[in-house]
Amino acid sequence: MSHSRNQRMRLSAALALPVAGVLALSGCASGGGGDTAGGGATEFSLTYATSNNLENPYEALANAYMEANPDVTITLNPQPNDRYGETLRTQLQAGNAPDVIQTAPGSGQGQAVLSLGEAGFLAPLGETASGVIPDGSEALYTYEDQVLAQPVDFTVAGFVYSNSSAEAAGVTSYPADTAELIGKCGDLTSQGKSMIVIAGAAGPNTGMTAMSISATRVYAETPDWNEQREAGDVTFADSQGWKDTLETIIDLKDAGCFQPGAEGAGFDVITNNITQGTSLGGFLPGSSANELAEANPDLDFSIEPFPSADGGKPYVLASSNYSLSINAASDKQEAAQAFLDWVAGDEGAKLFSDVSGALPVSGIENYEFEGSAYASVEQVLVDGSYTPLPNSLWPNQAVYDELQKGVQGLFTGQTTVDGVLSAMDAAWDS
């Protein structure tokens, strides 16, 4: 099967895109025979981040590939999401990292492609990888003219919202603006519920919360804000949009929109509160809607843009946020490359989408938005009212670290909005 650029998923003229029940393994049996594994190696290892006990899409890919290739064994090495980047770097530096690793496009995270590529940890990939990189995003996967990562999804990050829980709590419609959302928080608190659940002790979730809110406060009006920051034309500290983003978090906290004890909560609280109906939603990747629905099939989820301050146009974060790379120190690169080639095909892409809940990295033209959790953002995507995860374009992990810690500090009162933004500027310029 050919995987040319023309086959990359497109929605509208300029949208490059990335699950619901597990596909039967027999449906993936055309992945190839034993030779597909490549070379003489018939086993390799795979590491990825995980934050719950539900089926993981990487595990599903591995199982399907082994079913299609009975002589191949893939050893799985899942790691906690909140420590994944740090753990991966430690393994790579020690020379004992798995053969295939989950990475993230760009340079703003511990597992970011460009940072790991600069350190010499990633092996160049075959032509199949470049065939599924969205147009205009090549720089996020390429270091010194070598493609080092292969996207596996197209993820919409916004507010994952339980319509069933909202109706049960008397919230009849999704809020049109932030003031309306905040206005509902008091009544929910009186019912022992909350509008939003946040894992305040988990940096990835506090960071995702801030970035999701920044979509309307910063990037809707200034889509090239990151480029302006790189050029030195703007700073976080002088940006009214970033100030508004963090002030919104404080407003939500003060209004009781988050669950009690939010500052000390871990990822498990998100799953528990949403599936039990005690919180209506959270700032999560859209793929979480599928995982949550599996945990409680009685709930009906939608992926919503977080409301703007004044009822302005909806805007979300949307991009290919997850990728796979090969450890440069691996002696099983041929077998690993064969696996990545299979993952890039229609069967692998559909399986990842079905299990993860993200949009598929290929074949999006056949995606049925109507009746899915993504129905609320279909027009947003068609209109191009989205921006990639901001930190994928930040120069280093430290900027995002300061945002994550900063939001945690806002919850505990240990820092201020100005303090957070100044720290992010200092990290950017370091």
Side-chain angles (χ1 to χ4, degrees):
M1 181 180 302
S2 171
H3 297 285
S4 67
R5 292 184 186 279
N6 290 335
Q7 287 180 297
R8 293 180 194 150
M9 62 302 170
R10 304 294 268 173
L11 187 60
S12 183
L15 177 60
L17 300 175
V19 167
V22 181
L23 293 181
L25 295 181
S26 59
C28 302
S30 60
D35 291 342
T36 304
T42 56
E43 60 89 16
F44 58 90
S45 53
L46 167 65
T47 188
Y48 51 87
T50 184
S51 58
N52 55 49
N53 294 322
L54 300 177
E55 182 174 20
N56 186 284
Y58 300 101
E59 180 181 0
L61 289 174
N63 287 337
Y65 190 72
M66 288 188 288
E67 179 78 7
N69 298 273
D71 60 335
V72 174
T73 299
I74 304 175
T75 302
L76 303 180
N77 185 16
Q79 297 292 333
N81 183 54
D82 55 348
R83 299 193 301 274
Y84 178 72
E86 178 182 354
T87 300
L88 177 62
R89 275 193 167 269
T90 299
Q91 292 175 333
L92 288 168
Q93 290 166 351
N96 59 6
D99 304 297
V100 179
I101 57 181
Q102 178 199 328
T103 49
S107 57
Q109 303 180 59
Q111 66 270 33
V113 172
L114 301 185
S115 301
L116 296 179
E118 183 179 12
F121 291 137
L122 305 181
L125 301 184
E127 294 183 0
T128 303
S130 60
V132 293
I133 295 175
D135 288 328
S137 298
E138 291 83 358
L140 299 178
Y141 302 87
T142 306
Y143 181 74
E144 293 186 344
D145 298 324
Q146 293 183 320
V147 175
L148 301 180
Q150 175 178 304
V152 293
D153 72 325
F154 187 82
T155 296
V156 178
F159 193 69
V160 175
Y161 184 70
S162 171
N163 298 285
S164 310
S165 299
E167 182 177 354
V171 179
T172 57
S173 61
Y174 185 73
D177 56 34
T178 308
E180 182 180 346
L181 184 148
I182 289 176
K184 297 180 183 298
C185 292
D187 181 56
L188 289 168
T189 299
S190 69
Q191 300 179 49
K193 301 180 178 182
S194 70
M195 174 64 73
I196 304 167
V197 60
I198 186 172
N205 192 235
T206 59
M208 175 65 74
T209 295
M211 290 197 300
S212 297
I213 296 173
S214 77
T216 56
R217 272 59 173 181
V218 180
Y219 296 97
E221 295 298 323
T222 315
D224 64 342
W225 192 92
N226 286 328
E227 289 80 359
Q228 292 188 33
R229 180 63 183 84
E230 179 66 28
D233 296 333
V234 297
T235 65
F236 287 102
D238 292 335
S239 167
Q240 188 59 51
W242 275 105
K243 291 179 182 178
D244 291 344
T245 294
L246 298 186
E247 289 288 357
T248 298
I249 293 175
I250 294 174
D251 291 343
L252 293 170
K253 177 180 73 73
D254 291 346
C257 296
F258 299 109
Q259 85 279 10
E263 64 277 5
F267 279 113
D268 59 319
V269 176
I270 294 178
T271 302
N272 293 338
N273 279 29
I274 294 180
T275 57
Q276 293 171 13
T278 55
S279 294
L280 303 194
F283 294 98
L284 304 165
S287 56
S288 300
N290 183 71
E291 296 178 350
L292 294 166
E294 286 186 8
N296 186 346
D298 293 330
L299 298 181
D300 170 36
F301 291 98
S302 61
I303 296 136
E304 305 284 351
F306 183 71
S308 64
D310 55 3
K313 71 174 184 177
Y315 210 83
V316 297
L317 306 179
S319 59
S320 185
N321 296 337
Y322 302 103
S323 55
L324 289 174
S325 298
I326 296 176
N327 180 359
S330 169
D331 59 359
K332 300 163 185 173
Q333 292 185 21
E334 190 173 355
Q337 181 64 66
F339 173 65
L340 263 60
D341 290 344
W342 178 84
V343 170
D346 285 351
E347 289 171 316
K350 186 176 188 301
L351 176 57
F352 191 93
S353 172
D354 285 342
V355 178
S356 74
L359 293 168
V361 72
S362 62
I364 190 64
E365 63 275 4
N366 299 318
Y367 191 84
E368 292 290 339
F369 281 90
E370 185 176 355
S372 77
Y374 291 96
S376 297
V377 293
E378 178 182 9
Q379 195 60 46
V380 174
L381 298 177
V382 169
D383 291 343
S385 297
Y386 65 94
T387 190
L389 274 182
N391 65 331
S392 67
L393 299 170
W394 293 350
N396 56 62
Q397 167 72 17
V399 182
Y400 190 45
D401 286 344
E402 293 296 345
L403 178 61
Q404 294 179 90
K405 292 187 298 184
V407 173
Q408 292 171 326
L410 295 177
F411 271 96
T412 61
Q414 294 176 309
T415 190
T416 64
V417 168
D418 289 341
V420 177
L421 300 178
S422 294
M424 292 174 69
D425 280 322
W428 186 295
D429 295 329
S430 63

